[in-house]
Amino acid sequence: MAKAHDHISQPEIPVKDTTLYNKALDIYTLSRSITSYLTDNKTVNALYTSDNESENTLEEIVISAVTLPSKIAIAQTTKNIRLRLDSTNSIIHHIDKIRANCKKLRKISKRNREHMRILSSEALKFKKMYRQWNIAITQQN
């Protein structure tokens, strides 16, 4: 009689080699590049303390984007089911926040429209990839 833990396992792919993790890094790089371009290279701290609504929203986008890779790494490597669930929920929260802030910035300024359309499109691609990845992650023991 086979035991529950007797199964064929696939070798684990290092987090840094996963497609979703690399897409998250791409989203961070894109968000930071757009933010730098639109704000003349202001730091995230300068954006945070700014009185400009667009700059505050760009700061929120960058913070959400920088959070994605670490949450993916936690969700993919932890054995703690609660921590995995919290991380996967956080990922979807941050990607939705990026998309909502892109929409907000498209309404605020014509200058932002094309950049935010591109970032939002990439975030949507990420969200689709996330759904497939999340199915695999939730099936891990």
Side-chain angles (χ1 to χ4, degrees):
M1 181 170 172
K3 294 180 183 174
H5 66 275
D6 290 342
H7 58 84
I8 300 171
S9 63
Q10 297 175 339
E12 274 193 39
I13 299 171
V15 174
K16 67 180 181 64
D17 293 336
T18 63
T19 306
L20 190 71
Y21 181 84
N22 285 300
K23 184 66 170 176
L25 292 176
D26 291 345
I27 288 174
Y28 167 71
T29 301
L30 180 61
S31 69
R32 191 63 192 118
S33 296
I34 290 170
T35 298
S36 292
Y37 173 75
L38 294 174
T39 64
D40 297 322
N41 294 317
K42 286 189 177 179
T43 65
V44 173
N45 190 47
L47 297 173
Y48 175 75
T49 58
S50 174
D51 293 330
N52 181 298
E53 182 181 8
S54 291
E55 290 183 358
N56 294 151
T57 305
L58 286 165
E59 179 264 342
E60 289 179 14
I61 288 172
V62 171
I63 295 300
S64 285
V66 77
T67 303
L68 294 172
S70 64
K71 294 297 181 181
I72 291 167
I74 291 167
Q76 189 162 330
T77 59
T78 188
K79 300 295 182 198
N80 182 316
I81 294 171
R82 184 73 189 141
L83 183 56
R84 183 182 305 142
L85 182 60
D86 288 347
S87 296
T88 57
N89 287 340
S90 179
I91 292 165
I92 203 67
H93 166 78
H94 284 290
I95 206 65
D96 287 344
K97 188 173 180 181
I98 290 169
R99 295 194 67 231
N101 280 328
C102 286
K103 183 177 181 180
K104 178 180 176 181
L105 285 171
R106 283 195 311 267
K107 290 179 180 180
I108 292 174
S109 169
K110 288 182 181 181
R111 182 175 182 221
N112 298 332
R113 283 187 185 146
E114 185 60 21
H115 298 96
M116 293 303 107
R117 186 193 64 73
I118 293 167
L119 182 56
S120 184
S121 173
E122 291 302 310
L124 183 58
K125 290 176 190 174
F126 176 91
K127 191 172 182 175
K128 289 176 182 177
M129 293 169 62
Y130 163 84
R131 287 183 188 130
Q132 293 299 322
W133 173 85
N134 191 38
I135 290 168
I137 287 298
T138 56
Q139 292 174 352
Q140 285 183 359
N141 291 333

